[in-house]
Every structure is written in structure tokens, then in C-alpha cells.
Amino acid sequence: DTRVVARVNFVADEPGVVGDPFGHGTHIAGTIAGNRSAAKYVTAAFAGGSAPSVKLIDVRVLGSRGSGRTSDVIAGIDWVIENRIRYNIRVINLSLGHPVTEPSATDPLCRAVARAVAEGITVVASAGNYGLTSTGAPVLGGITSPGNSPLALTVGALDTKGTLDPADDEVAPFSSRGPARYETVVKPDVVAPGTRTVSLEAQNSFLSANYRQWHTAGSGKNAYMRLSGSSMSTAVVSGGVALLLSAEPSLTPAQLKMAIQMGARFMP
């Protein structure tokens, strides 16, 4: 895609790896920026991303099995900060997280988010998928890092029940709930659709090979799969932030966060 203007790989264990061997990032990118022109021949379930003209920068920080080192994620964020002017980077999508073990003021990943926000980059982070215990009991305070950062725009998952009518929407049971541990900050900041999201399926990826039941349509380079999680919701909101910036380029991360929250409707 000509709209991917740069690709860098910070996965220390996998130097020289190109593309998306796991498949999660491709799905996220499609939800942010996908073009529906190819999908219209194979499925109506993918109508393109929320900001289909946005430019993408592929900063690879997680390994081919979907996990990785926090230090690699931090290296990726710092690269974005260093290259923000060169590529006019305004938004970082962080559909990732790890359990919170210390206050956000000292957490190295949250500090990296703070550095990015201080340079005018809006950081959209997933709330996490720790809303329930293994026995189905609700969990309070399950927000992951760096979604616990007061500076991040943290996104939880909404279950739309597959309808356009908002009346039946509810926060997905798996979506992490606040408050943020240590600071007791109210989180997530917003929720967005994140269940059974159809987006791009990366060819020959780990997810594509091991979870055939999630495949929904198409084949080869024009394939689509269905995933659920606060990762998917985060992508929806990153695209929304891009649209706001397109209309009002002078908006700061704090103003963007407020605009997204004030433009949302209250949910119990």
C-alpha cells in the first residue's frame, strides 16, 4: 500500500523480519485506514477504516507470536517522537498493554507515552481485555499499562450486538474496567465498537493459519477476518482522532481527548 510511508522493526529477537507475521497489526491498520474498494467484491462486512485516507507508519514492536518486550515498545515510541516532524506524525495507536505493577509516573512505558504527548502526539491506547476472571466474575481495576496513563486516550470495547441501533449497545464484558491502579483515575476514557470486528487478514500470518474459524471472506491478499478486543476499539478511535486533526490540525492531545469524550454519549 502506497499509504504506508515508512516501516521500522524494533523487535530485538527478530531483526530483518518484514511484514506482519502475527497478523494483529494488519487487522488494526485496516480498521484505522482500510480502503473498501477491494472488499466490495468479496464481503460487505468490511466498509473500510474510520480514516481511509490517512497515512500509516508501520512501527513493529511485537514479535511473530503477538508478544514482546516492553523495551522494544518504548524504542518504537521514541523513534516516533524523533521522526514526528519528518513524517508529520500526530497519532500513535497502541493496541497493546501489560499488567500494571507501578504508578504511571514511574512506569517506563507510561513515561514514553508522556514524552510523546508532550511533543503533541495523541496516544490512543487499549484498556485491555481483563474485564472478567476465568470464572466470569467482573474485575475492577483491570486497565493495562500504558492505558493507565492519565495522558493516554484509553479505549474500552463496546459490543454493538451487530446492529446500528445504539439502544442495545453495552460495554463488552471482557473489556477492562477502571479505575486505574495506584492513581485511581477513571478509565477507560471512551469505549468504541470492538466485538466481531471484520478487517484485513494478513496472508500466511499466525492468526490466519491457527484461527481459521475467524476467517470471514476472501483469500490471499484480499482476505478478511473477525477479531474482538479493546485493540479493535482503539483502532476505531485512532481513526476518529485523525479525522478531527484533518479538520482542525491545531488541536492538542488534551483537546482531542476532550473532544472525543464530549462527543460521546454516556453509557452506564
Side-chain angles (χ1 to χ4, degrees):
D1 190 334
T2 53
R3 289 189 296 119
V4 181
V5 295
R7 296 181 192 274
V8 286
N9 176 21
F10 285 98
V11 182
D13 298 341
E14 299 178 7
V17 171
V18 293
D20 180 16
F22 185 62
H24 183 269
T26 298
H27 194 276
I28 298 294
T31 301
I32 297 171
N35 184 322
R36 72 162 306 213
S37 58
K40 67 179 182 234
Y41 301 110
V42 293
T43 179
F46 181 70
S50 50
S53 299
V54 83
K55 296 276 200 291
L56 293 170
I57 290 151
D58 171 11
V59 183
R60 186 167 180 265
V61 294
L62 296 178
S64 53
R65 289 299 172 91
S67 60
R69 290 190 171 93
T70 304
S71 54
D72 293 347
V73 181
I74 292 168
I77 294 171
D78 283 333
W79 181 91
V80 169
I81 295 167
E82 286 161 24
N83 289 275
R84 70 190 185 282
I85 295 165
R86 180 181 178 187
Y87 295 111
N88 189 28
I89 302 170
R90 301 295 306 273
V91 188
I92 296 175
N93 183 94
L94 291 178
S95 288
L96 50 81
H98 67 70
V100 173
T101 57
E102 61 186 305
S104 60
T106 57
D107 179 333
L109 188 51
C110 291
R111 289 176 68 128
V113 166
R115 289 194 292 275
V117 172
E119 297 297 346
I121 303 168
T122 300
V123 179
V124 189
S126 54
N129 303 322
Y130 300 99
L132 297 173
T133 65
S134 57
T135 57
V139 175
L140 289 177
I143 302 290
T144 51
S145 167
N148 62 318
S149 167
L151 295 167
L153 173 50
T154 306
V155 187
L158 186 70
D159 184 354
T160 63
K161 307 292 169 68
T163 72
L164 293 174
D165 182 1
D168 62 359
D169 292 3
E170 63 179 29
V171 178
F174 64 75
S175 185
S176 288
R177 286 156 175 75
R181 198 172 163 195
Y182 295 106
E183 293 85 354
T184 62
V185 176
V186 177
K187 289 281 182 178
D189 297 300
V190 72
V191 292
T195 56
R196 301 175 296 281
T197 304
V198 175
S199 187
L200 312 184
E201 181 178 327
Q203 196 174 10
N204 304 320
S205 64
F206 179 87
L207 291 179
S208 179
N210 290 279
Y211 296 93
R212 295 307 299 157
Q213 68 271 27
W214 297 346
H215 171 79
T216 52
S219 60
K221 290 186 175 177
N222 191 22
Y224 301 85
M225 74 188 311
R226 182 178 275 113
L227 296 176
S228 296
S230 58
S231 283
M232 286 68 240
S233 314
T234 303
V236 172
V237 174
S238 289
V241 170
L243 294 178
L244 280 168
L245 279 166
S246 176
E248 290 286 347
S250 64
L251 289 172
T252 66
Q255 289 171 325
L256 285 157
K257 187 173 177 180
M258 191 173 290
I260 295 260
Q261 285 187 288
M262 299 303 283
R265 62 184 189 278
F266 174 77
M267 288 209 68

